[in-house]
Amino acid sequence: MPPELRTAHQKNDIAVMEAYGFDVKTMNEADCVAALMQRYKKLSINCKPI
């Protein structure tokens, strides 16, 4: 991956973590994805399929 694209991804990861109130210093990308999926699961548990 080109360095510029890697930097853009890292900045995006930080922006998402900050938006959700995650600790940027201790959370990595995998932890962030896992936490977001848990939130999604909790929010969507009562949703009915279309």
Side-chain angles (χ1 to χ4, degrees):
M1 178 181 304
E4 299 84 11
L5 185 55
R6 172 42 80 202
T7 300
H9 275 275
Q10 290 169 336
K11 287 181 179 180
N12 186 64
D13 289 346
I14 290 169
V16 169
M17 289 179 204
E18 288 176 344
Y20 282 90
F22 300 149
D23 186 353
V24 176
K25 293 180 182 179
T26 61
M27 183 173 269
N28 61 36
E29 183 181 4
D31 293 338
C32 180
V33 171
L36 291 173
M37 289 297 106
Q38 285 296 327
R39 286 177 182 232
Y40 172 77
K41 185 177 177 182
K42 185 177 178 182
L43 288 170
S44 65
I45 195 141
N46 293 320
C47 292
K48 297 181 193 262
I50 296 175

